[in-house]
């Protein structure tokens, strides 16, 4: 039997088994005691003497998360909510002591299939969010949102709609951006970009490149693709589109006829082969280069990366900072395009479908993803209601944890984060890893000089269509 078909059947079989387990759990008494999955959980859903809240008594909500205390400041955050909402307690169920998202998802699925009380769920990525919505784990929030009189599109920088419905609100906001060696920019007479295109990015990289051989300093470093991962670097010009920003469309069909897929390949080839302004792909693979050292050792002047780097751009003990750093937005395709569209990672915070306190759970979710993000003070919020002063305060706190915060151009960082926003979520398919691997392999043939761009696109389209066909029911 075709291995892809076998793999697809196994994925579908596991999904069916998990869905059946979940259904059993949903029918088995949603308010049951159950064991906690770890950390701070207790054996019962509510403390002794607490009621369901229907008669005005106390309500205990159970929050399932992969987030650690160090990364999420839970104690302070939950205490703030409980003080502002007398009668409501939020019980933290930490699914992984080390913040391992894969471990957390496995434990979350087991809890969902049991009789444990679940009220609030936190998913770490779009794939995990979409998969568990498909399994019926999350409650639609559209009625609550309509009653409150706002829209996700207007209130948040991340649109969490799936198949026309909202099942979660976004918490933190980690957009991609461009880190810049400000000293190198000044030496080249280049300003810190506040709004630029990929053509301008390539021009900057060319002007920032210096030297030859082992001492050569490149204008930029691209940390991918690698073995089907870091695929963002193959779709650079696709990712700042409001819709269809991935290799597959929302319906699971191929999106490789998008002109910006070709333009992404053309950009990578031009910068490496013609301009010679980006670190060669062969060096990245053969030398197992690390993006942090490429930038902080000043081997490359610019780095396109996610804003999880906020906690490191001021330098750390392991990777010290010896120059001034600035930040620029993810480049646009065309000058007239909307500024700020970029790949984004966030937390998807949902109300559990099996919760018996959905209204109270929703109230927490809404608070946590708005004012609660400011109270937490660990990440930039996806909420548009946060002011530049509040973001500046959060950035100050984050940078204070680095070795040389004074070397960071804070204004450029704040402006970039304020301008950034995510494109629409495309629910990941069960065969997405196969798609990524195929495109990665064809890209390698291109960048190593073994085939041209036309052949690369043709091969990618054929292979991806075969993967899609072999995974059909």
């Amino acid at each position: 039997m075709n291995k892809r078909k076998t793999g697809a059947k196994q994925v579908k079989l596991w999904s069916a088994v998990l869905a059946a387990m979940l259904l059993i759990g949903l029918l088995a008494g949603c308010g049951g005691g159950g064991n906690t999955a770890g950390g701070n959980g207790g054996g019962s859903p509510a403390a002794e003497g607490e009621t369901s809240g229907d008669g005005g008594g106390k309500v205990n909500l159970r929050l399932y998360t992969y987030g650690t205390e160090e990364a999420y400041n839970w104690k302070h955050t939950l205490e703030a909510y409980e003080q502002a909402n007398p009668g409501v307690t939020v019980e933290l169920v930490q699914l992984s002591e080390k913040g391992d998202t894969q471990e957390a998802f496995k434990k979350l699925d087991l809890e969902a299939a049991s009789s444990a009380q679940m009220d609030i769920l936190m998913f770490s990525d779009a794939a995990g969010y979409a998969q568990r919505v498909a399994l019926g784990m999350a409650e639609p929030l559209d009625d609550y949102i309509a009653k409150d009189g706002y829209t996700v599109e207007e209130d948040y920088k991340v649109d969490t709609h799936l198949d026309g419905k909202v099942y979660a609100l976004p918490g933190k906001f980690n957009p991609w951006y461009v880190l810049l060696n400000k000293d190198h920019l000044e030496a080249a007479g280049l300003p810190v970009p506040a709004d630029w295109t990929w053509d301008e990015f390539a021009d900057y990289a060319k002007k920032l490149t210096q030297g030859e051989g082992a001492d050569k300093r490149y204008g930029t470093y691209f940390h991918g693709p690698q073995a089907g991962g870091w695929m963002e670097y193959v779709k650079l010009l696709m990712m700042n589109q409001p819709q269809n920003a991935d290799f597959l469309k929302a319906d699971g069909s191929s999106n490789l006829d998008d002109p910006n897929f070709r333009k992404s390949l053309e950009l990578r080839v031009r910068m490496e082969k013609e301009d010679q302004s980006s670190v060669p792909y062969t060096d990245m693979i053969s030398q197992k280069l690390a993006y942090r050292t490429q930038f902080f050792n000043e081997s490359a002047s610019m780095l396109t990366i996610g804003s999880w780097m906020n906690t490191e751009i001021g330098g750390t003990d392991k990777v010290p900072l010896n120059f001034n750093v600035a930040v620029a937005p993810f480049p646009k395709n065309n000058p007239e395009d909307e500024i700020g569209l970029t790949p984004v990672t966030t937390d998807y915070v949902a109300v559990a479908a099996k919760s018996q306190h959905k209204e109270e759970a929703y109230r927490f979710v809404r608070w946590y993803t708005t004012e609660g993000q400011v109270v937490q003070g660990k990440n930039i919020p996806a909420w548009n209601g946060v002011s530049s002063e509040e973001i500046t305060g959060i950035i100050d706190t984050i940078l204070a944890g680095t070795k040389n915060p004074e070397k960071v151009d804070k204004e450029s960082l704040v402006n970039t984060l304020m301008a950034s926003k995510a494109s629409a979520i495309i629910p990941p398919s069960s065969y997405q890893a196969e798609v990524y691997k195929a495109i990665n392999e064809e890209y390698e043939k291109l960048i190593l000089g073994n085939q041209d761009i036309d052949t690369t696109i043709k091969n990618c389209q054929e292979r991806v269509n075969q993967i899609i066909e072999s995974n059909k029911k």
Side-chain angles (χ1 to χ4, degrees):
M1 181 180 288
N2 184 292
K3 288 184 178 179
R4 292 194 184 107
K5 289 184 178 179
T6 302
K9 287 182 177 178
Q10 289 173 340
V11 168
K12 292 166 188 169
L13 177 59
W14 168 244
S15 296
V17 170
L18 186 54
M21 291 172 65
L22 176 59
L23 181 59
I24 292 170
L26 290 172
L27 295 174
C30 300
N35 294 323
T36 61
N40 298 342
S44 65
E48 184 178 353
E50 292 184 351
T51 70
S52 68
D54 296 335
K58 295 180 180 179
V59 172
N60 183 72
L61 301 174
R62 301 185 88 211
L63 164 60
Y64 285 75
T65 178
Y66 69 92
T68 62
E69 174 63 28
E70 180 182 22
Y72 281 82
N73 202 13
W74 285 122
K75 187 175 185 296
H76 171 71
T77 305
L78 300 185
E79 283 179 353
Y81 185 75
E82 291 171 355
Q83 288 174 6
N85 295 270
V88 179
T89 58
V90 184
E91 176 188 349
L92 192 69
V93 183
Q94 289 180 316
L95 296 163
S96 173
E97 292 184 1
K98 56 183 180 293
D100 185 321
T101 57
Q102 295 305 309
E103 176 189 10
F105 272 135
K106 289 177 182 177
K107 290 184 177 179
L108 181 65
D109 292 341
L110 290 173
E111 287 282 289
S114 75
S115 60
Q117 177 193 340
M118 307 182 82
D119 299 294
I120 303 152
L121 312 176
M122 182 180 286
F123 309 122
S124 60
D125 55 58
Y129 169 47
Q131 288 166 1
R132 282 150 190 87
V133 165
L135 290 170
M137 287 173 61
E139 180 76 7
L141 302 180
D142 303 84
D143 290 344
Y144 299 104
I145 291 170
K147 186 177 178 181
D148 278 355
Y150 69 92
T151 65
V152 171
E153 304 95 306
E154 293 178 353
D155 254 30
Y156 296 92
K157 296 177 183 294
V158 180
D159 186 351
T160 54
H161 277 87
L162 285 175
D163 296 326
K165 291 186 177 182
V166 175
Y167 296 88
L169 298 179
K172 68 183 180 184
F173 181 68
N174 278 345
W176 279 50
Y177 52 28
V178 181
L179 294 180
L180 308 131
N181 186 312
K182 195 174 180 181
D183 295 354
H184 292 175
L185 289 184
E186 290 177 353
L190 297 170
V192 176
D195 184 1
W196 59 342
T197 64
W198 281 111
D199 285 339
E200 291 169 322
F201 174 90
D203 183 58
Y204 265 57
K206 194 172 180 180
K207 291 176 179 177
L208 290 166
T209 299
Q210 290 187 357
E212 297 292 339
D215 296 326
K216 182 173 182 176
R217 187 189 81 199
Y218 289 91
T220 196
Y221 171 74
F222 295 115
H223 192 60
Q226 298 187 45
W230 295 99
M231 295 301 289
E232 292 88 352
Y233 295 102
V234 189
K235 51 181 177 178
L236 291 169
L237 278 78
M238 299 177 74
M239 294 190 298
N240 49 10
Q241 304 178 132
Q243 302 289 332
N244 295 325
D246 208 338
F247 300 125
L248 298 176
K249 297 179 182 178
D251 62 3
S253 62
S254 172
N255 192 34
L256 297 182
D257 58 352
D258 187 320
N260 285 326
F261 175 54
R262 172 183 287 273
K263 290 178 181 178
S264 297
L265 297 178
E266 290 173 344
L267 177 74
R268 291 295 306 270
V269 170
R270 170 162 62 101
M271 293 185 68
E272 179 171 333
K273 304 299 184 182
E274 298 174 22
D275 299 346
Q276 298 182 9
S277 62
S278 65
V279 176
Y281 183 80
T282 52
D283 288 1
M284 182 198 73
I285 296 298
S286 63
Q287 299 176 32
K288 298 181 179 179
L289 298 178
Y291 62 83
R292 288 176 176 85
T293 51
Q294 284 294 294
F295 182 70
F296 286 105
N297 289 353
E298 302 190 71
S299 298
S301 300
M302 301 191 296
L303 176 67
T304 305
I305 199 69
S307 58
W308 58 79
M309 289 297 293
N310 287 346
T311 58
E312 302 178 45
I313 57 176
T316 63
D317 289 330
K318 290 183 178 180
V319 188
L321 175 65
N322 298 308
F323 54 90
N324 293 298
V325 174
V327 183
F330 199 73
K332 305 187 300 188
N333 297 338
N334 306 295
E336 66 274 13
D337 290 348
E338 181 181 8
I339 185 175
L341 281 167
T342 179
V344 167
T345 57
T346 188
D347 292 319
Y348 299 87
V349 191
V351 174
K354 65 192 290 186
S355 172
Q356 293 188 356
H357 310 298
K358 292 186 176 68
E359 175 70 33
E360 293 88 347
Y362 165 75
R363 288 292 149 212
F364 174 82
V365 169
R366 174 63 170 162
W367 175 87
Y368 174 74
T369 59
T370 54
E371 300 168 39
Q373 289 295 293
V374 180
V375 170
Q376 197 169 58
K378 283 288 189 178
N379 296 287
I380 302 304
W383 180 42
N384 283 324
V386 66
S387 67
S388 59
E389 290 78 14
E390 288 170 319
I391 286 184
T392 300
I394 295 172
I395 288 295
D396 284 339
T397 300
I398 293 171
L399 292 180
T402 65
K403 302 295 288 184
N404 296 104
E406 75 281 355
K407 291 183 177 293
V408 178
D409 182 340
K410 188 173 67 176
E411 182 181 2
S412 69
L413 174 58
V414 171
N415 290 342
T416 294
L417 294 171
M418 289 289 288
S420 298
K421 58 185 72 69
S423 57
I425 294 174
I426 300 175
S429 67
S430 61
Y431 45 86
Q432 186 159 284
E434 292 181 77
V435 169
Y436 283 1
K437 182 174 182 292
I439 294 174
N440 194 156
E441 290 171 355
E442 296 302 324
Y443 173 81
E444 285 194 350
K445 295 175 188 176
L446 167 68
I447 206 66
L448 296 178
N450 297 324
Q451 66 187 20
D452 60 21
I453 287 179
D454 287 338
T455 304
T456 299
I457 293 174
K458 178 175 177 291
N459 289 351
C460 285
Q461 289 173 330
E462 289 178 353
R463 291 184 65 179
V464 168
N465 284 331
Q466 288 174 357
I467 291 168
I468 293 170
E469 189 64 31
S470 67
N471 281 276
K472 285 183 178 178
K473 293 180 180 180

